[in-house]
Amino acid sequence: MEHWTCVSEEFGNHAWWACLNNNQLYNFGSDWQRVYEILPEIAGPLTEGALSLETLPERRSDFKAWLRKAKQSEPERWREDPHRFIEREASWLRRGVTTRYMLLADQEAFETGRLRLIYVDNQGNIVQETRVDADEQTITDVIMAWFELTEPLELEQEGITGDRYRITGDLGRELYQLTDADFADP
């Protein structure tokens, strides 16, 4: 943990409050979200999501227009798995509801050297996640991507949509508002 908290100059200044390395207090195993019960502010400084009730309809409309074009340009990929196609390509829409991110050092991180990068909404729901290398360049890239309102390459290439933000999830259905026409073949 000491090595990881100092691996990036960008993170080093925040490690004193962001690193929960007391095993007696914070060892929740796979139920890591229990940490919110102790420290609800742990996810870091809360930022505004890019989407608001005023901008959501326009962003959703842009997404649906883009989806129609994307299905036509890549019909084989669309037909292979429409849900996966939409979830992969809609990360910019989900980024609008993301209000913070976390790097978790779970058991797998200690075994592989790859931290769990999680983007969450203002209720602590996982929007999307991936694994990233725990090296200086990658951690710095993750931090800088957040401030630039972009996504780290790992999230773009290997990211997994949070269950509730999947097409069939309650928050995903509300965010995307897809119709039968949206699912029609090109």
Side-chain angles (χ1 to χ4, degrees):
M1 287 302 300
E2 287 178 21
H3 170 74
W4 286 342
T5 58
C6 297
V7 75
S8 170
E9 289 180 21
E10 299 294 326
F11 183 67
N13 297 333
H14 303 283
W16 66 271
W17 69 266
C19 183
L20 303 180
N21 58 357
N22 183 329
N23 197 30
Q24 292 178 342
L25 294 177
Y26 306 116
N27 185 9
F28 301 128
S30 63
D31 192 20
W32 63 269
Q33 289 173 316
R34 282 191 46 218
V35 75
Y36 292 132
E37 296 168 12
I38 298 170
L39 295 168
E41 69 278 9
I42 195 58
L46 179 63
T47 61
E48 292 287 326
L51 290 181
S52 67
L53 291 177
E54 293 81 33
T55 62
L56 180 57
E58 182 180 343
R59 297 274 304 260
R60 186 182 296 122
S61 177
D62 291 345
F63 168 70
K64 288 185 174 201
W66 170 89
L67 179 61
R68 283 188 296 277
K69 292 176 188 173
K71 289 189 312 186
Q72 291 173 351
S73 67
E74 298 185 73
E76 297 83 24
R77 205 173 125 230
W78 165 258
R79 287 183 186 105
E80 184 178 302
D81 188 347
H83 284 212
R84 181 72 176 144
F85 183 90
I86 293 169
E87 289 172 2
R88 294 272 301 152
E89 303 301 331
S91 63
W92 64 271
L93 188 58
R94 286 190 306 276
R95 178 65 169 95
V97 298
T98 301
T99 57
R100 50 192 110 153
Y101 72 97
M102 290 184 277
L103 287 164
L104 293 181
D106 57 6
Q107 183 173 346
E108 185 175 334
F110 286 101
E111 294 168 357
T112 65
R114 292 178 54 87
L115 299 167
R116 187 174 173 193
L117 172 62
I118 300 174
Y119 278 57
V120 296
D121 65 15
N122 63 359
Q123 299 296 312
N125 298 303
I126 296 173
V127 177
Q128 49 195 9
E129 67 177 287
T130 192
R131 291 273 172 185
V132 296
D133 291 330
D135 59 51
E136 178 179 4
Q137 185 62 54
T138 303
I139 301 303
T140 300
D141 288 349
V142 165
I143 294 167
M144 296 310 295
W146 178 257
F147 290 109
E148 294 168 355
L149 300 176
T150 61
E151 291 184 346
L153 187 58
E154 294 85 353
L155 194 60
E156 186 178 312
Q157 293 177 343
E158 305 165 11
I160 298 168
T161 303
D163 289 341
R164 294 190 70 192
Y165 279 95
R166 296 194 62 114
I167 301 244
T168 56
D170 61 322
L171 297 173
R173 284 191 308 271
E174 181 65 26
L175 178 63
Y176 308 121
Q177 293 189 3
L178 296 170
T179 64
D180 289 342
D182 296 318
F183 282 106
D185 280 341

